[in-house]
Amino acid sequence: MEQYEPDRLSPAQVAAMRRSFRNGRAALSRRSLLRASAGGALAAGGLGALSACGIPPAAQTSGVSSEDHSAKEKTVHFSNWTEYMDVDESEKHHPTLDEFKRRTGITVKYTEDINDNVEFFGKIKPQLAAGQPTGRDLICVTDWLAARLIRFGWVQKLDPSNLPTAYANLSQQFRSPDWDPGRAYSYPWTGISTVIAYNKKALDGVEVKSVSDMLDNPKLKGRVGFLSEMRDSVGMTLLDMGKDPGRFTDDDFDAAIARMQRAVDKGQIRRFTGNDYTSDLTKGDLAACLAWAGDVVQLKADSPDVDFLIPDSGYMTSTDNLLVPNKARHKTNAERLIDYYYEPRPAARLAAYINYVCPVDGVKEELAKIDEDAANNPLILPDKAMAAKSRAFRSLSAKEETAYEEKFAKLTGA
């Protein structure tokens, strides 16, 4: 188990976080955009929270539990991102949570207090490092932070006997990330895919089928966008080069950076963007760009010119994940809530609202009852062929993350 030490960020990592907060996946609400996958977003005070001194190293623990009061206390405290749960027309009630309470008698004290990964980590790490309860039974964080919490021994191993539905219905592509093999500590809340989006009118007959087309076709010079999130842009470039983002070497990373640098030098890439590519793509200032699937679902609904493609080489997927922190008071209740959201009906209702990749198999029929277009949208329910093309960026050591962010920052001019 890795021992916790207070984080020290390189200037490149700080720049990456600020870039994410200004215009990255943290810049808008969670329903319309995503959060930063590489380093999280930097809210006011977020950097200080991440790199603050004065917190002693945590002991090497392995899922420290406290007495489980689930049987006597019919409640569970759930911290999530804003606008990441279905609501009714009044916007005052969460139908799936209400149904869970009716069925189980367990009240969910639901709090939308996660604005970005770094800021939230700053909130909970003093208690976790000190072996104290956070006041939360269930949290939802992006894969890189989930991996960190597991490495530090700050989350509890889940009890499979309380998760029969989740185990049975978890989609194959999400079953065994390298940071949590077999999903011993986590279950995905949703998947976040990176694809190629394009404006048909702006392309004007120019064919785009791959990242290579974006980087090399002179007809697209100055009209191509890449993402300011390192894992997304580097990952998609590695795939295009025939490399696996889950197994790449330092030399592979450097080759991907060099490939993008050549495109920057010749003016092929217009810029590296956060969520602000949505406006440029709709207007046609960008003919093609790397994009997040949650955006594309909405952009396609608003603009007939916008569409997407999955390259033959594959595409990147990250996840937001449910975990039970150490000293959670209601672990069994939290596990029952996880298991509930792997039933087709609540999973479908959630997917219809948030429009991101549903990690639950067998929801198409239920989703079609709510929204037939969503049920047939591969960005929400990938078919087997699309799921087979999904790849995840491998876990990075602290040393690797510092070095890679510095190289990517130099490329993007951050």
Side-chain angles (χ1 to χ4, degrees), residues 243-255:
K243 302 294 183 179
D244 184 351
R247 295 177 175 273
F248 66 90
T249 65
D250 287 347
D251 288 343
D252 295 333
F253 183 91
D254 290 345

Side-chain angles (χ1 to χ4, degrees), residues 238-313:
L238 284 169
L239 284 170
D240 187 73
M241 297 167 62
K243 302 294 183 179
D244 184 351
R247 295 177 175 273
F248 66 90
T249 65
D250 287 347
D251 288 343
D252 295 333
F253 183 91
D254 290 345
I257 292 292
R259 177 120 169 76
M260 288 184 281
Q261 185 66 62
R262 290 192 293 272
V264 169
D265 293 344
K266 65 184 180 182
Q268 186 78 4
I269 295 178
R270 183 184 183 94
R271 61 194 182 102
F272 289 82
T273 72
N275 68 280
D276 47 334
Y277 68 77
T278 57
S279 176
D280 287 346
L281 184 64
T282 302
K283 291 186 297 184
D285 292 339
L286 287 175
C289 64
L290 298 183
W292 294 306
D295 292 343
V296 177
V297 172
Q298 297 175 50
L299 291 175
K300 278 174 59 64
D302 295 336
S303 173
D305 292 325
V306 174
D307 211 335
F308 77 99
L309 64 92
I310 304 297
D312 289 340
S313 59

Side-chain angles (χ1 to χ4, degrees), residues 15 24 34 54 105 160 181 209 230-231 319 326 331 350 364:
L34 314 174
K209 291 186 176 181
M230 182 264 288
R231 285 168 172 80
T319 52
N326 284 356
K331 178 175 182 284
L350 182 66
K364 186 168 185 175

Side-chain angles (χ1 to χ4, degrees), residues 105-122:
I106 299 171
T107 298
V108 181
K109 295 185 177 180
Y110 184 72
T111 307
E112 295 181 335
D113 62 343
I114 305 179
N115 296 307
D116 67 77
N117 287 290
V118 170
E119 181 188 43
F120 185 66
F121 182 61

Side-chain angles (χ1 to χ4, degrees), residues 186-207:
S186 69
Y187 268 85
W189 181 248
T190 193
I192 304 165
S193 299
T194 302
V195 299
I196 295 176
Y198 58 90
N199 184 305
K200 289 177 278 190
K201 186 176 180 180
L203 283 178
D204 192 26
V206 177
E207 189 175 65

Side-chain angles (χ1 to χ4, degrees), residues 115 137 143 151 189 224 250:
N115 296 307
D137 302 305
D143 44 20
R151 289 200 311 270
W189 181 248
V224 168
D250 287 347

Side-chain angles (χ1 to χ4, degrees), residues 122-138:
K123 286 181 182 180
I124 64 175
K125 77 171 183 179
Q127 293 95 336
L128 292 172
Q132 299 172 349
T134 65
R136 300 166 175 88
D137 302 305
L138 193 63

